[in-house]
Amino acid sequence: MDIRALGSLRIETADLPAWRTYVLDILGMTAAEGSTDTCLNVRIDDRFHRFRFVSGSQDRLLAAGFEVAGAGPGATIGPAMAFS
């Protein structure tokens, strides 16, 4: 498998309002469709979203998606890489 780029991250956070302020107001990223009070989808380019922050009890990486050679956008090449 030839990984070309980081595709997306799903992050659990105990302080979603702080992340919302940081990524939207300080970094200047854009809230994407599907964002709610408990979930922030962040758009930084032409993709639907690259980052998803979800409210939870701790701060941790939940999953990472990668762009690989020969696969179209959103292609599934195997099980999602999830972290606990």
Side-chain angles (χ1 to χ4, degrees):
M1 175 177 14
D2 188 13
I3 295 174
R4 298 294 176 144
L6 178 64
S8 63
L9 293 176
R10 189 169 63 234
I11 300 166
E12 178 182 355
T13 177
D15 192 356
L16 186 59
W19 276 105
R20 189 178 303 274
T21 297
Y22 181 65
V23 299
L24 302 180
D25 299 338
I26 296 172
L27 296 180
M29 296 177 181
T30 304
E33 186 177 326
S35 294
T36 65
D37 290 341
T38 60
C39 173
L40 173 62
N41 295 325
V42 179
R43 186 174 185 164
I44 60 172
D45 56 17
D46 61 341
R47 302 296 173 115
F48 177 69
H49 67 267
R50 294 279 185 175
F51 305 102
R52 173 176 280 176
F53 296 89
V54 295
S55 289
S57 60
Q58 56 186 316
D59 297 319
R60 63 182 176 153
L61 178 62
L62 295 175
F66 299 92
E67 294 179 6
V68 297
T76 302
I77 58 169
M81 183 174 287
F83 305 90
S84 59

